[in-house]
Amino acid sequence: MRDLAKARNIGISAHIDSGKTTLTERILFYTQRIHAIHEVRGKDGVGATMDSMELERERGITIASAATFCDWKDYTINIIDTPGHVDFTIEVERALRVLDGAILVLCSVGGVQSQSITVNRQMTRYRVPRMAFINKCDRTGANPDRVTQQLRDKLNLNAVPLQVPIGLESDLAGVVDLVSMKALYFEGDQGEIIREAEIPDNLSEEVATKREALLDAASMFSDELMEAILEGEPNEEMIRAAIRKGTLARELTPVLVGSAYKNKGIQPLLDAVTYYLPNPQEVTNYALDLNNEEAEFRVTNDPKDPLIALAFKLEDGRYGQLTYLRTYQGTMRKGDSIVNIRTGKKIKVGRLVRMHADQMEDIEETGAGDIVALFGVDCASGDTFTDGSVNYSMSSMHVPAPVISLAIRPVDNKAQGNMSKALNRFTKEDPTFKTFVDTETNETIISGMGELHLEVYIERMKREYKAEVEVGAPQVAYRETVTQKAEFNYTHKKQTGGSGQFGRVAGYLEPLEEGEYEFVDKIVGGVIPREFISSCDKGFQKAMAKGSLVGAPITGIRCVINDGSSHAVDSSDVAFQQAALGAFRDGYLKAKPVIMEPIMKVAVEGPTEFQGGIMGSLNQRRGMIIGTTEEEDYTVVEAEVPLSEMFGYSTDLRSLTQGKAEFTMEFAAYRPVPKSVAEELVAKAKKEKEQQDKK
């Protein structure tokens, strides 16, 4: 078994285009996992190792998180490269759920951007200790000091630089390590040769100031270091131990600098991962004991204890379903039987592999704290596996609700089959991607985290499943209701040889404040026999399925019956259902019906400079601003906007705010549509009905 103290499970997260995938590519090169460097939007047509999906290489973005592992000095590092787009936020969630530490990558020009704030929030939710790496120090306008200050101001992190860059922009030559007090230069064709030298004279003042700040911050976590500082010169081990303690407590964030693209500063970053980020034994993870009312307890990380492993990601590989597992305690060997706690099914471990992007390496066994993959195991994302001796479940991850929907239609029968296969797989793999058939419109609706999210899935359907689909604008689920009280008195008579049908129902309809439907029986003296009261209720409910304005379901109505009559022979269940149906339609049009539309609660977050534009864009969409909150140079605008006006908003918002703002929306309530919109909807429904009648 490997030494857990020498293991690291880390994630690389950041805002879009901060250089996560480029950084991972360099890490793999320096740890000799790959022997040539390829660029993300590679002119050589190969693309970065971690972007193994064809779509990722074309667009130059990361869509799915990819796992790999490497060895640095005598440490084993499992790495997960995660996407930066808000649309693929579940990929970041599930990676952080199983990782022990993380590197927050920032652009030295862009600084702390909107998605950096989201990612930092996710790291805080899962209590993940982190380091910051300020990348792209070779770019014009690079300013690591400003970014470090933003880490303190915007993310409330105790950010402490461990390095000073030697030169900036095109003059970036290397870094000064403030712990060892040496200048490091990266030479050779690909920065693989590290040359140590004395600190350049022009930097001595800055280095002295920052070294003092570093010792000041680190000494808060170590009395021994504080004494050593007072007595003279502390040694490197002491400083590292204090920084490590502060980082693990999530009260200090070490900041490193460099340029992944120019191959500068990557090897010291790898050293820092081994020095300051936790090993699996130093992280507290909790499981729930299902036999003991879901009591929380701490998992041990001991390879000798009963097995607990969490399936955090599924992928459809070349050889069937690939399940990524993080083992928390115990040992799993090839040929073992394991139990899926959710389904209670026993599964045999057939093939156990370690992943390197889309390549794999077969292994015989895996121990606590490892990230591996299994083949051909039927399970869902978030399932817990044990060896069967215990009934434990790992706490689940946070899954945000989908915010946008699209209607899709297959072009032919062949596409229909392929489309359902694709949808089955995508919904299993991605908890934020939902699909259902709308009973009102009979369309297949897909929902996700944003337009890019759905666009990618539609593109994958076409490429991976040859499912050609047409994408329509989604139908908004309108409702109808009444605005005043109206009486009805309806007799249903039918006479056709033998026994006929007879039923008379009288009463009134009125608006219902709370709830969707209420039936009130005020019949006295048995004018409608008891056995037919429920038939009246059924008839009213049938009538509510489709309103007469736009054919939408009716909601918010109280139906009261207070009179009626029956026939000894001709009255029946069907007769009274039909009588109630007719009575409802009779009263509905007199009760001044209106069309209701879903109103969404929308929150837009973005830099304050765009506040006016954001508010204007919401007002244009019939939005009602509820309030705004400002935090330094960041603003959150909250509004209530009709769902029908929100389509295409993410694209508009991105172009309006240079991609710096993001929005979330959730259902708030149904409200009446304005008169002009209602007239349009009624005319449209009438036209559609005429077309259907012609068919």
Side-chain angles (χ1 to χ4, degrees), residues 324-400:
Y324 285 83
L325 284 182
R326 157 80 203 251
T327 50
Y328 284 98
Q329 64 176 46
T331 305
M332 178 166 54
R333 293 178 183 81
K334 212 167 143 177
D336 280 1
S337 285
I338 55 174
V339 176
N340 181 338
I341 292 297
R342 184 178 59 86
T343 61
K345 281 187 185 163
K346 241 186 180 184
I347 296 150
K348 197 169 165 98
V349 178
R351 190 174 170 204
L352 197 56
V353 294
R354 268 194 149 166
M355 295 306 295
H356 173 50
D358 61 344
Q359 312 287 310
M360 54 200 70
E361 183 181 302
D362 280 280
I363 53 174
E364 289 302 310
E365 66 169 21
T366 176
D370 219 341
I371 292 176
V372 292
L374 291 179
F375 272 106
V377 172
D378 184 32
C379 68
S381 187
D383 282 358
T384 303
F385 290 95
T386 71
D387 56 7
S389 65
V390 288
N391 192 14
Y392 298 154
S393 171
M394 294 302 295
S395 52
S396 58
M397 58 199 155
H398 169 77
V399 178

Side-chain angles (χ1 to χ4, degrees), residues 164 183 187 195 296 306 452 535 557 650 664:
V164 172
E187 295 172 352
R195 177 168 65 84
E296 255 196 354
L452 175 66
S535 310
I557 287 192
S650 58
T664 55

